[in-house]
């Protein structure tokens, strides 16, 4: 059974650009969440999607957005990149929200220069 | 606002020792608690999930306990091995999000 797949694994972008990250959940999982991990702030929740709808959002500016497709695949977008957006972005999938085990992908390492 | 604390921040032990990692959280209204392992530059690997109604879960050499009323969880690792070296994170699940502690960096010396 394939795990959570995130693409690309590495990205280098310039300040002011935008970026789109992709996450394919485990087959049958309908909940997808995104997290940002930095050395200073640790792991922070970005948003959660279920049935193509954003159900919860963390404390991040509107430059961070996402969506979920009918096959449960999800994308997150960051516009007008800032140096501080450099981080490991992790996607997690679970069968349903809250009560089932969360499985994480390998992450996308974003470097903003 | 939920806060999760992990103690100690770093731990170094010789191979073969049994060890305990601690996790505390401030709001007991959680659905479950999950322990993860993270190797440098990698994603998170799920180790154990404890539902809020459970007290304990075991997987191989790992045993995790949960005391929801006191806001505490422990992860017990038996007979540690160098391959156990990693950062261990606990996270509580509530309202469609996981709140993480800052992790315990474990080094097992051969």
């Amino acid at each position: 059974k394939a795990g959570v797949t995130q693409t690309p694994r590495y990205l280098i972008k310039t300040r002011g650009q935008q970026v789109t990250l992709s996450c394919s959940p485990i087959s049958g999982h309908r909940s997808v969440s995104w997290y940002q991990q930095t050395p200073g702030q640790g792991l922070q929740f970005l948003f959660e999607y279920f049935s193509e709808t954003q159900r919860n959002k963390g404390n991040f500016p509107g430059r961070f957005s996402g969506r979920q497709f009918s096959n449960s695949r999800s994308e997150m977008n960051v516009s007008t990149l800032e140096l501080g957006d450099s981080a490991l972005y992790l996607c997690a999938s679970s069968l349903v929200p809250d009560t089932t085990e969360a499985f994480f992908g390998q992450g996308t390492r974003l470097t903003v220069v | 606002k939920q806060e999760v604390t992990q103690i100690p921040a770093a731990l170094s032990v010789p191979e073969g020792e049994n060890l305990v990692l601690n996790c505390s959280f401030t709001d007991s209204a959680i659905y479950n608690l999950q322990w993860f392992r993270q190797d440098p530059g990698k994603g998170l690997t799920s180790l154990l999930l404890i539902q809020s109604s459970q007290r304990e879960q075991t997987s191989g050499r790992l045993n995790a306990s949960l005391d929801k009323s006191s806001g505490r969880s422990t992860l017990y690792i038996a007979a540690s091995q160098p391959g156990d070296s990693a950062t261990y994170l606990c996270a509580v699940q509530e309202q469609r999000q996981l709140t993480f502690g800052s992790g315990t960096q474990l080094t097992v010396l051969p």
Side-chain angles (χ1 to χ4, degrees), chain A:
Chain A
K1 190 173 183 181
V4 179
T5 303
Q6 291 188 244
T7 56
R9 290 292 312 279
Y10 303 92
L11 267 177
I12 300 176
K13 290 287 187 178
T14 304
R15 268 184 305 175
Q17 287 187 314
Q18 75 165 20
V19 67
T20 299
L21 313 182
S22 179
C23 172
S24 293
I26 292 171
S27 177
H29 285 197
R30 297 171 59 198
S31 172
V32 175
S33 302
W34 290 87
Y35 294 81
Q36 181 196 64
Q37 186 175 32
T38 59
Q41 299 296 318
L43 274 150
Q44 293 186 286
F45 170 74
L46 281 157
F47 24 67
E48 188 261 348
Y49 286 87
F50 182 76
S51 294
E52 301 177 64
T53 302
Q54 185 182 98
R55 308 285 181 162
N56 194 10
K57 188 177 193 308
N59 189 25
F60 278 83
R63 300 185 296 107
F64 291 81
S65 63
R67 58 178 174 168
Q68 186 181 36
F69 302 94
S70 58
N71 61 359
S72 293
R73 190 177 72 85
S74 176
E75 289 181 348
M76 69 164 279
N77 184 77
V78 188
S79 62
T80 318
L81 284 165
E82 301 177 359
L83 295 179
D85 297 333
S86 295
L88 181 65
Y89 289 88
L90 292 162
C91 165
S93 81
S94 56
L95 204 57
V96 293
D98 287 333
T99 58
T100 58
E101 191 171 3
F103 295 90
F104 281 77
Q106 290 297 296
T108 294
R109 170 74 64 185
L110 171 65
T111 303
V112 182
V113 297

Side-chain angles (χ1 to χ4, degrees), chain B residues 21-32:
Chain B
L21 307 181
N22 297 291
C23 171
S24 62
F25 48 95
T26 55
D27 187 343
S28 61
I30 62 172
Y31 286 98
N32 57 57

Side-chain angles (χ1 to χ4, degrees), chain B residues 13-51:
Chain B
V13 300
E15 182 178 4
E17 270 204 10
N18 303 325
L19 57 102
V20 175
L21 307 181
N22 297 291
C23 171
S24 62
F25 48 95
T26 55
D27 187 343
S28 61
I30 62 172
Y31 286 98
N32 57 57
L33 183 145
Q34 206 166 339
W35 282 93
F36 296 91
R37 166 191 173 134
Q38 186 174 32
D39 294 287
K42 305 286 190 182
L44 276 60
T45 300
S46 178
L47 298 174
L48 288 164
L49 169 73
I50 311 178
Q51 298 289 355

